[in-house]
RNA sequence: GAGCCUGUAGCUCAAUGGCAGAGCGCCACACUGUGGAUGUGGAUGUUGUGGGUUCGAAACCCAUCAGGCUCCCCA
């Protein structure tokens, strides 16, 4: 039977299987974050529109935010990103926080976009930031966290690569080509779109922006120069630190990585699936020097990245790296032999739970084959049965489903027998 | 916000204007105290939804909803 009411467009149902993946990503993000000593935090899911109007682009505020009036008439929005909340909260306690601040978060976000592969309107995102240290070595730490995560979910450097660039380096190169600072943003956006465009059309767009042929040629050789990082002290130091941190194999310099975000000022990076199943970035981030000052705090530099759950979920699925799904958190089934022994089974299950085991009881008397089939389908590992023969002597039958062996033990020793099989 | 493609059983898909099907899964039984295997049988459906064309529509037309690809955007 099909339900007559569908989910909201771009929203997803989390059946136990999807919920398990979400929790898996959460656990891996937490592990990578905590391995580097980051503290978990969160902001409100509802924010005032003004928070985003202050810094975020017009596109985000006007077109891609879920905005509505509350009952008091104030405009509120479902948070489309976390960084403004971070800046606000840091600024509010700037005088009392111990820097550097190392914070991470995993929660829901909403953007009113066209849903497609790798993109939904309601999604979960891992955010992680370090504020108060402005150095390539700090940037390297965030890259190492990203690489640690990728490694922990089974994505090797050939499969998932983090491409890094530096805004300051590119700006100085643009300067050298005689591209005026006012044109940097346009040129950056153009670079960002290059991989999606037909080469001749891209050239035409570049000339439309007011570049001359010499500048265009210079820009193209710039974007083909994968040794360009050697001209940047920041990037040179970054790669030294990445090597020491043991993640250099995950990171490659790429002059084509720009990122659309206005607030990035130094190192920028994006991780991509190299097998091409998903063209969207798995994660992305960079250094931002001016964000705190923009929301009224003292100037404070930060570096961080964000990873949505949707793209990485697809990448893991396509790579065959989804973790095995456990249909039940319990590995033990206590059968109900018949009407008469029903409550005996319930009492036995209760004893096993008191001994610290997670136990499912079959909800009613049924034929044993049916109960065993249920245990098998739920991938349970142990079945405990009390039939008339056992009940009479105070015994229980404990069966190991993985090898089919069954032992008869005293009821008081059931928990121990189960534990032995599970260990 | 724009263009294109798709929507049939729980899942993957057939049926190209003429009786809506297959495989897998599901349920029951064979098996009256023990799962995975095998066999036999069974249930599946408002063909996304609403209109229209037609003697007749899953198919053709319009609208709408959802998904996918792309543009835009990716904070």
């Amino acid at each position: 039977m099909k339900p007559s009411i569908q989910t909201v467009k771009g929203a997803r149902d989390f059946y136990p299987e999807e919920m398990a993946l979400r929790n898996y990503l959460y656990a891996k993000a937490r592990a990578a974050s905590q391995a580097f000593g980051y503290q978990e935090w969160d902001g409100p899911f509802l924010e005032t529109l003004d928070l985003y109007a202050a810094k975020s682009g017009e596109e985000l505020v006007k077109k891609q935010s879920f905005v509505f009036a509350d009952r008091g008439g104030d405009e509120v929005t479902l948070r489309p990103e976390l960084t403004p909340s971070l800046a606000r909260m840091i600024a509010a306690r700037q005088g009392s926080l111990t820097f550097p601040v190392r914070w991470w978060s995993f929660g829901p976000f909403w953007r009113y976009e066209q849903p497609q592969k790798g993109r939904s309107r309601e999604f979960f995102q891992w955010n992680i930031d370090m504020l108060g240290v402005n150095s390539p070595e700090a940037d390297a730490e965030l890259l190492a966290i990203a690489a640690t995560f990728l490694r922990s979910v089974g994505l090797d450097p050939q499969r998932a690569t983090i491409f890094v660039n530096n805004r300051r380096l590119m700006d100085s190169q643009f300067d050298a080509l005689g591209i005026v600072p006012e044109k940097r943003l346009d040129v950056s956006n153009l670079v960002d779109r290059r991989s999606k465009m037909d080469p001749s059309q891209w050239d035409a767009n570049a000339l439309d922006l007011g570049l001359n042929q010499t500048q265009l040629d210079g820009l193209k050789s710039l974007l083909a120069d994968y040794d360009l990082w050697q001209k940047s002290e920041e990037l040179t130091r970054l790669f030294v630190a990445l090597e020491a941190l043991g993640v250099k194999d995950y990171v490659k310099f790429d002059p084509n990585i720009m990122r659309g975000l206005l607030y990035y000022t130094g190192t920028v990076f994006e991780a991509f699936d190299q097998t091409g199943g998903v063209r969207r970035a798995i994660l992305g981030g960079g250094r931002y020097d001016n964000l705190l000052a923009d929301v009224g705090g003292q100037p404070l530099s930060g570096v961080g990245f964000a990873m949505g759950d949707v793209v990485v979920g697809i990448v893991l699925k396509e790579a065959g790296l989804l973790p095995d799904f456990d249909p039940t958190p319990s590995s033990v089934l206590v059968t109900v032999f018949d009407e008469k022994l029903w409550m005996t089974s319930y009492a036995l299950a209760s004893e096993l739970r008191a001994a610290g085991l997670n136990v499912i009881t079959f909800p009613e008397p049924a034929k044993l084959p049916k109960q065993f089939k249920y245990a098998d389908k739920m991938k349970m590992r142990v079945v405990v049965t009390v039939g008339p023969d056992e009940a009479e002597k105070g015994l229980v039958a404990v069966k190991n489903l993985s090898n089919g062996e069954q032992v008869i033990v005293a009821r008081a020793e059931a928990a121990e027998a189960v534990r032995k099989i599970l260990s």
Side-chain angles (χ1 to χ4, degrees), chain A residues 146-195:
Chain A
T148 299
F149 172 87
L150 294 172
R151 188 186 285 145
S152 76
V153 296
L155 291 167
D156 59 37
Q158 285 70 46
R159 182 105 205 174
T161 307
I162 307 169
F163 296 98
V164 64
N165 194 7
N166 188 290
R167 280 272 174 88
R168 270 184 282 272
L169 169 65
M170 296 311 282
D171 284 347
S172 70
Q173 295 298 311
F174 291 167
D175 287 348
L177 288 172
I179 295 170
V180 293
E182 297 76 53
K183 287 235 175 75
R184 280 178 191 165
L185 183 60
D186 287 338
V187 174
S188 296
N189 286 337
L190 188 69
V191 171
D192 223 21
R193 266 177 297 163
R194 192 179 182 202
S195 59

Side-chain angles (χ1 to χ4, degrees), chain A residues 41-97:
Chain A
W41 72 287
D42 208 347
F45 297 176
L46 288 173
E47 288 277 16
T48 60
L49 186 60
D50 295 343
L51 178 68
Y52 306 99
K55 187 58 198 166
S56 308
E58 205 171 284
E59 174 82 13
L60 168 64
V61 176
K62 290 199 175 156
K63 287 175 140 183
Q64 299 195 323
S65 287
F66 283 85
V67 182
F68 53 93
D70 68 16
R71 290 179 184 277
D74 293 330
E75 277 203 319
V76 296
T77 179
L78 287 165
R79 62 181 188 183
E81 58 162 333
L82 190 60
T83 311
S85 301
L86 172 69
R88 176 174 58 72
M89 286 170 63
I90 296 280
R93 295 204 179 167
Q94 205 160 0
S96 58
L97 288 168

Side-chain angles (χ1 to χ4, degrees), chain A residues 214-242:
Chain A
T214 314
Q215 288 172 326
L216 173 57
D217 292 341
L219 182 60
K220 279 158 86 172
S221 68
L222 201 61
L223 297 178
D225 182 0
Y226 287 81
D227 293 322
L228 192 64
W229 61 276
Q230 293 169 0
K231 293 184 181 166
S232 161
E233 195 218 336
E234 281 185 58
L235 285 173
T236 307
R237 278 168 61 185
L238 179 78
F239 279 106
V240 170
L242 289 173

Side-chain angles (χ1 to χ4, degrees), chain A residues 21 25 106 118 124 149-150 153 155 160 278 280-283 307-319 321-322:
Chain A
L21 174 60
L25 294 174
F106 186 94
F124 286 78
F149 172 87
L150 294 172
V153 296
L155 291 167
V278 191
R280 297 176 190 286
I282 297 170
L283 58 86
M307 182 193 79
D309 68 316
V310 183
V311 172
V312 75
I314 294 169
V315 170
L316 291 180
K317 187 175 182 188
E318 291 184 350
L321 290 170
L322 288 187

Side-chain angles (χ1 to χ4, degrees), chain A residues 254-310:
Chain A
D254 189 330
N256 297 281
I257 296 293
M258 297 302 284
R259 290 192 61 70
L261 306 193
L262 301 180
Y263 56 62
Y264 290 119
T265 50
T267 298
V268 288
F269 56 92
E270 288 181 326
F272 286 95
D273 172 30
Q274 289 301 91
T275 58
V278 191
R279 302 208 76 86
R280 297 176 190 286
I282 297 170
L283 58 86
R287 172 159 297 280
Y288 45 88
D289 287 330
N290 307 322
L291 204 57
L292 262 283
D294 288 341
V295 297
Q298 295 300 308
L300 187 69
S301 183
V303 57
F305 68 83
M307 182 193 79
D309 68 316
V310 183

